[in-house]
């Protein structure tokens, strides 16, 4: 059911006032009182119904445009808690059409806009200084679940989708480790997980999108229809369109997961065995971690899983053949329990308050030939008592299909992340961001790419390097789909 039309935005405060229009020259909202109090009649409107004095009326919306300080404060922050850029309003859309109208309105007013999913970026990627943030959490309906696909609003979380699909014996083929991320948010960046080695990233598993382009046009696109826009938006970092709805693939869900944890002390052997497993495509899920070993060095763990149902258990001998680990454990879990494996830890981190600390994460894609080298450089910066999760696992490039998901040019690629939590002491998170940048510089020199969810500062010249020979395509796509450069300035790609 659609919500009642609200043509006004509410300005919170002791003397709450409704805002009815924006003045692009003064870059300020016009309140109802001001509009009625003689602001009319000066002439130079922008050609819109109800405009006057250069003021542009807020379009009729199914949801609400709010200037409530709490909403502004939330939208000026993210999971990183490192940068803060305040928008001047937050749209809580009541429909896809609200997003279309707001992007069109932003074009008319000279405002910038970004969609914010669950706000789990770490360096302001969904923030818009002085612009409008669209909060996708109010667009969170699962419209259809069929045997091979689900149609969902962009604000649906993978957690929500998993709960609905696993109950019907279905699952998305690739899931992130943590499920409280919006579908729109991960489809804008990539969405990597343990099933990526077999099935690509989440953007490789999308059938159709509904998108609002930077000009405010609502368009359906897929591999067959408007393919250029489809491929621009998947992994497009919010630059060419806002995803409002997605049709994502589903596959039969297994009942159980057999988890193998294989421990290594030698990084070269670890990388060799991980590369071998990636190439062999033996496991349904392949991840891995590094952690301080308590003796000044690190231990490395392959975390692999084979799905199974009923008594059709995996063949342990065949799966582990040819590997040279130091020790191993094997454990069976229900499939959904496995997908939700991080929930108890996160609940604990929230309970003790650490979840709200700054998160200067570094996330890199490294060519397999340089994985041990880059990991060693990065690990040399990790304190021996660090508790930060360090992800270090391979995947095949050949299963990736989307042109704007930038990875190194080698058949096997490693994800390397240090998921840092920093104390909320001024200067400490910023110093770790600088450290990330110096690790990135060393990694990029040997062909690595940044995963753009990271806290690694980039200027437009860095983005040009990032996209390499695709940079001209990126400029053309921006000119075609967002000619006024309205969308998602927080990524910092275009000046
Ligand atoms: C605890 C945690 C665990 C994570 N685990 C993984 C993991 O396992 N694998 C992985 O790949 N990533 C992981 N991530 C990173 C995560 O995928 C990205 O940060 C993702 O962007 C977050 O989704 P979000 O809904 O919070 O998006 P936001 O942070 O709100 O937005 C991310 C970017 O996408 C844009 N955007 C958001 N919605 C849309 C839309 N509908 N249309 C167009 N652009 C949009 C935003 O403007 C912004 O630029 C993790 C992050 C956290 C904090």
């Amino acid at each position: 059911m659609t919500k009642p039309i609200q043509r006004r935005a509410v300005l919170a405060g002791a003397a709450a006032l409704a805002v009815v229009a924006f003045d692009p020259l003064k870059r300020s909202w016009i309140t109802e009182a001001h509009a009625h109090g003689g602001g009319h009649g000066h002439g130079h409107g922008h050609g819109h119904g109800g405009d006057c004095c250069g003021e542009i009326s807020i379009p009729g919306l199914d949801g609400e445009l709010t200037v409530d300080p709490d909403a502004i404060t939330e939208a000026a922050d993210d999971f990183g808690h490192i940068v803060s850029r305040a928008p001047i309003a937050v749209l809580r859309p009541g429909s896809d059409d609200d997003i279309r109208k707001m992007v069109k309105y932003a074009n008319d007013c000279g405002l910038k806009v970004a969609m914010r999913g669950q706000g789990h970026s770490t360096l302001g990627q969904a923030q818009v200084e002085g612009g409008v943030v669209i909060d996708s959490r109010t667009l969170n309906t699962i419209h259809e679940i069929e045997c091979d696909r689900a149609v969902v609003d962009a604000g649906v979380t993978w957690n929500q989708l998993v709960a609905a699909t696993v109950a019907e014996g279905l699952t998305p083929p690739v899931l992130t480790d943590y499920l409280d991320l919006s579908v729109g948010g991960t489809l804008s960046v990539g969405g990597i997980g343990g099933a990526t080695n077999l099935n690509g990233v989440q953007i490789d598993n999308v059938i159709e999108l509904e998108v609002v382009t930077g000009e405010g046009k609502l368009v359906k696109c897929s591999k067959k229809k408007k393919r250029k826009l489809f491929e621009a938006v998947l992994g497009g970092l919010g630059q060419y369109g806002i995803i409002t709805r997605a049709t994502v693939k589903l596959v039969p869900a297994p009942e159980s997961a057999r988890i193998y944890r294989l421990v290594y002390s030698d990084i070269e052997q670890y990388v060799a065995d991980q590369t071998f497993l990636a190439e062999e495509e033996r496991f349904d899920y392949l991840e891995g971690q590094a952690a301080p070993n308590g003796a000044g060095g690190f231990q490395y763990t392959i975390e692999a899983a084979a799905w199974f149902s009923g008594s059709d258990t995996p063949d342990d001998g065949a799966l582990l053949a040819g590997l040279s680990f130091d020790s191993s454990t094997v454990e069976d879990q229900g499939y959904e329990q496995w997908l939700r494996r991080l929930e108890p830890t996160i609940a604990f981190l929230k309970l003790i308050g650490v979840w709200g600390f700054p998160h200067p994460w570094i996330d890199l894609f490294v060519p397999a030939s340089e994985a041990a080298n880059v990991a060693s450089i990065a690990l040399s910066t990790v304190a021996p008592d660090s508790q930060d999760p360090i992800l270090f696992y391979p995947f095949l490039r050949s299963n990736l299909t989307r042109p704007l998901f930038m990875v190194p040019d080698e058949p096997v690629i490693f994800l390397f992340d240090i998921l840092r939590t920093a104390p909320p002491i001024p200067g400490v998170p910023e110093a770790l961001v600088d450290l990330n940048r110096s690790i990135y510089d060393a990694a990029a020199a040997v062909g690595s790419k940044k995963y753009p969810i990271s806290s690694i500062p980039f200027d437009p010249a860095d983005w040009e390097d990032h996209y390499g020979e695709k940079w001209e395509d990126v400029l053309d796509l921006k000119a075609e789909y967002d000619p006024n450069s309205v969308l998602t300035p927080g990524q910092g790609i275009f000046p």
Side-chain angles (χ1 to χ4, degrees), residues 7-11 17-22 28-33 58 65-67 89:
R7 287 187 174 273
R8 302 179 307 166
V10 176
L11 181 64
L17 293 168
V19 294
V20 292
F22 184 73
S28 62
W29 295 113
I30 311 300
T31 65
E32 201 166 38
I58 293 168
L65 183 71
T66 180
V67 289

Side-chain angles (χ1 to χ4, degrees), residues 271-486:
V271 167
D273 280 4
Q274 280 281 38
T275 304
F276 170 71
L277 286 179
E279 286 166 346
E280 288 250 311
E281 299 190 273
R282 272 189 202 180
F283 287 98
D284 296 306
Y285 165 106
L286 183 61
E287 291 203 4
Q289 299 95 28
N293 63 8
F298 286 84
Q299 81 168 26
Y300 308 91
T301 305
I302 295 179
E303 184 180 69
W307 312 144
F308 67 101
S309 294
S311 58
D312 189 13
T313 51
D315 179 344
D316 299 345
L319 286 169
L320 300 180
L323 302 174
S324 300
F325 44 86
D326 302 339
S327 62
S328 65
T329 59
V330 182
E331 176 199 357
D332 290 349
Q333 287 190 14
Y335 177 68
E336 189 170 356
Q337 181 192 3
W338 171 246
L339 297 182
R340 299 185 178 286
R341 63 197 176 278
L342 296 184
E343 289 178 3
T345 308
I346 289 168
F348 176 71
L349 293 175
K350 286 184 176 168
L351 186 73
I352 62 173
V354 170
W355 191 250
F357 282 14
H359 293 104
W361 284 11
I362 178 165
D363 311 87
L364 300 170
F365 295 127
V366 183
S369 62
E370 295 289 343
N373 169 30
V374 170
S376 300
I377 293 170
L379 292 175
S380 70
T381 69
V382 173
D385 60 348
S386 169
Q387 305 276 315
D388 293 334
I390 301 169
L391 304 183
F392 185 24
Y393 66 83
F395 56 97
L396 285 178
R397 192 181 204 275
S398 56
N399 289 327
L400 306 177
T401 60
R402 306 301 181 201
L404 294 188
F405 185 69
M406 300 307 295
V407 291
D409 190 13
E410 265 191 27
V412 177
I413 296 153
F414 276 71
L415 173 74
F416 182 90
D417 307 281
I418 307 177
L419 308 180
R420 306 178 194 279
T421 298
I425 300 169
V428 175
E430 293 77 7
L432 289 168
V433 170
D434 291 345
L435 180 60
N436 288 349
R437 176 67 209 210
S438 60
I439 295 170
Y440 164 79
D441 286 337
V446 293
S448 306
K449 295 284 180 190
K450 114 167 156 171
Y451 187 18
I453 64 169
S454 307
S455 300
I456 302 173
F458 255 32
D459 63 22
D462 294 317
W463 284 108
E464 189 173 342
D465 288 345
H466 178 78
Y467 284 109
E469 60 188 27
K470 291 188 181 153
W471 181 241
E472 287 301 320
D473 297 343
V474 163
L475 294 176
D476 290 347
L477 290 169
K478 190 71 174 173
E480 180 168 353
Y481 295 115
D482 184 22
N484 297 324
S485 213
V486 164

Side-chain angles (χ1 to χ4, degrees), residues 234-285:
L234 291 171
L237 308 177
Q239 298 305 307
Y240 318 101
I242 292 181
I243 300 166
T244 57
R245 198 175 283 203
T247 304
V248 296
K249 275 189 205 163
L250 297 178
V251 293
E255 287 170 10
S256 307
R258 177 161 294 181
I259 322 300
Y260 302 83
R261 292 194 179 85
L262 317 175
V263 180
Y264 293 73
S265 51
D266 179 52
I267 190 169
E268 302 284 352
Q269 187 63 50
Y270 173 80
V271 167
D273 280 4
Q274 280 281 38
T275 304
F276 170 71
L277 286 179
E279 286 166 346
E280 288 250 311
E281 299 190 273
R282 272 189 202 180
F283 287 98
D284 296 306
Y285 165 106

Side-chain angles (χ1 to χ4, degrees), residues 90-164:
V90 175
L91 173 69
R92 296 182 179 130
S95 63
D96 301 356
D97 205 41
D98 278 0
I99 298 178
R100 182 190 63 74
K101 286 178 183 168
M102 190 47 58
V103 173
K104 176 88 179 50
Y105 184 72
N107 272 274
D108 294 339
C109 294
L111 290 169
K112 295 200 184 281
V113 173
M115 186 87 131
R116 183 180 198 268
Q118 293 289 310
H120 280 71
S121 295
T122 59
L123 203 66
Q125 288 91 333
Q127 297 178 19
V128 195
E129 180 85 54
V132 177
V133 166
I134 304 177
D135 181 344
S136 77
R137 289 175 300 184
T138 52
L139 272 191
N140 63 358
T141 301
I142 298 174
H143 295 275
E144 281 174 47
I145 295 179
E146 292 178 26
C147 61
D148 64 346
R149 66 193 60 196
V151 182
V152 300
D153 283 341
V156 165
T157 64
W158 293 100
N159 193 337
Q160 233 182 304
L161 188 59
V162 160

